[in-house]
Amino acid sequence: MMKINSICIIDDDPIVVFGIRKMLNSILTYDELHTYGNGKLALDGITEMVNSNQGPPDLIFLDINMPIMDGWQFLKEFIDIPIEHGVRINIITSSIDSYDQKNWELYKTKTHHTLTYNRKPLRKDDLIKMSKVA
């Protein structure tokens, strides 16, 4: 079983968070798992981790459509945090809007982090692929 230090799930749907957490528990082990209901809470939490020398999460599961700060706004701010090593950011969405796919392609060119684009619902096989650290 794979071992990950830290995982972050950013999604405002508690059922999605529960499902991801349950599937992750069956495919890997981890030291910490943080969950946030919007991008602002996540950005504040991750910034605090980095500033306190804990480092960022190894894996992030990021929903696009959330209140307060959506996934794109989060991503715009996150890529400006001075993090040396790459973080694997798995965008997860139910959106079929081509704008979102184009945004993902744009952000991939703006960062050294690994960005993947995944559609909900997620399956266990999807999470196995998405859980490889950047």
Side-chain angles (χ1 to χ4, degrees):
M1 198 178 276
M2 275 190 299
K3 174 83 161 74
I4 306 289
N5 290 328
S6 179
I7 300 171
C8 181
I9 303 171
I10 308 167
D11 197 309
D12 62 323
D13 185 341
I15 293 170
V16 170
V17 172
F18 175 80
I20 292 173
R21 183 186 295 235
K22 187 153 180 78
M23 286 187 283
L24 286 174
N25 286 337
S26 71
I27 62 172
L28 54 82
T29 58
Y30 50 84
D31 292 329
E32 296 179 290
L33 187 135
H34 305 274
T35 61
Y36 302 99
N38 66 63
K40 175 72 171 121
L41 293 172
L43 189 63
D44 291 346
I46 292 170
T47 300
E48 177 61 32
M49 285 181 223
V50 171
N51 290 341
S52 66
N53 294 324
Q54 287 178 289
D58 298 310
L59 292 174
I60 295 176
F61 295 90
L62 176 64
D63 187 23
I64 294 174
N65 298 311
M66 296 176 288
I68 302 171
M69 178 185 270
D70 69 21
W72 299 125
Q73 293 166 321
F74 166 84
L75 202 51
K76 181 180 180 198
E77 299 289 326
F78 179 81
I79 63 176
D80 288 337
I81 298 173
I83 299 170
E84 286 185 29
H85 73 282
V87 174
R88 183 176 181 111
I89 303 168
N90 299 296
I91 296 169
I92 52 173
T93 184
S94 55
S95 172
I96 58 171
D97 190 341
S98 63
Y99 167 81
D100 290 325
Q101 185 108 18
K102 288 177 185 167
N103 237 2
W104 164 65
E105 291 169 2
L106 175 67
Y107 275 102
K108 283 194 324 182
T109 66
K110 292 183 172 189
T111 184
H112 68 288
H113 302 297
T114 301
L115 295 176
T116 66
Y117 188 85
N118 310 275
R119 290 216 168 84
K120 295 176 185 177
L122 299 175
R123 293 171 189 78
K124 189 174 179 178
D125 289 343
D126 299 325
L127 280 180
I128 289 170
K129 292 174 193 168
M130 289 189 273
S131 296
K132 293 177 177 36
V133 177

